[in-house]
Amino acid sequence: MLNDAVSPSGGLTASFSISAERLRCHRARVLRRADTLASMSDTLFERIINREVPADIVHETETTIAFRDINPRATTHVLVVPKTRYRNVAELAAADPGLLADVVNTAAKVAELEGVAEAGYRLTFNTGEDAGQTVFHVHGHLLGGSSLGPEARPPK
Ligand code: AMP
């Protein structure tokens, strides 16, 4: 690498490409480590499930928990969360359809408890960046209590 660096233009290029490669490797190592740490550490919702973070819990079953969203976007805005962590609803459905049914049944129960079951409500699962998912522990947003309007904006 030193020899490459002392020869004129070609040497510089070689030296740069080696550095870039090393940088790529380093970056990949850092990302892999961050990924491992992220999967080892608890998400916010696991900390709520474990009562390490306070939440306004409205209903709980053996497999699910439902608590009010801290930043409500509807008169009723409750998050319904399986106690076992999956990143999103597709992963949950593939791995444990029974648990997904538990989440939906808990949402229906909460809708009854909140008095919105008859008038209607929405249950949405944001999945990925474009949908605005910020917590990567699958959760349904139960929204209701007034007319909710369209679900998404038309394309521009
Ligand atoms: P999402 O953006 O679909 O991943 O939804 C995450 C939701 O969690 C957002 O609507 C937040 O307002 C909500 N949230 C964040 N922190 C808390 C908290 N400590 N208690 C209750 N809800 C929270």
Side-chain angles (χ1 to χ4, degrees):
M1 196 168 131
L2 189 61
N3 283 344
D4 288 343
V6 290
S7 70
S9 57
L12 270 180
T13 309
S15 165
F16 174 76
S17 75
I18 289 168
S19 301
E21 180 56 26
R22 288 187 64 189
L23 201 63
R24 260 198 300 280
C25 287
H26 178 69
R27 191 164 175 272
R29 264 200 310 276
V30 169
L31 287 176
R32 269 198 306 276
R33 185 158 165 71
D35 222 31
T36 308
L37 288 174
S39 66
M40 281 163 59
S41 68
D42 285 350
T43 63
L44 169 66
F45 291 172
E46 279 161 307
R47 298 178 67 208
I48 288 175
I49 291 163
N50 295 330
R51 305 302 200 268
E52 293 161 10
V53 168
D56 186 356
I57 296 168
V58 296
H59 190 58
E60 187 169 13
T61 68
E62 205 178 310
T63 57
T64 65
I65 190 165
F67 50 88
R68 291 192 198 287
D69 196 293
I70 205 168
N71 179 25
R73 265 95 74 204
T75 312
T76 294
H77 187 172
V78 173
L79 301 175
V80 185
V81 184
K83 289 182 179 173
T84 303
R85 176 180 172 189
Y86 294 96
R87 277 178 70 81
N88 58 50
V89 69
E91 283 191 14
L92 168 60
D96 193 343
L99 184 55
L100 174 57
D102 289 352
V103 171
V104 176
N105 287 328
T106 296
K109 177 70 185 173
V110 172
E112 270 176 35
L113 295 172
E114 294 287 306
V116 301
E118 211 159 298
Y121 58 90
R122 183 173 290 154
L123 181 61
T124 59
F125 294 87
N126 293 333
T127 304
E129 198 182 326
D130 272 4
Q133 185 177 9
T134 56
V135 179
F136 291 87
H137 179 140
V138 57
H139 51 282
H141 292 256
L142 172 69
L143 302 157
S146 56
S147 185
L148 294 167
E151 203 162 348
R153 271 174 264 128
K156 283 183 188 150

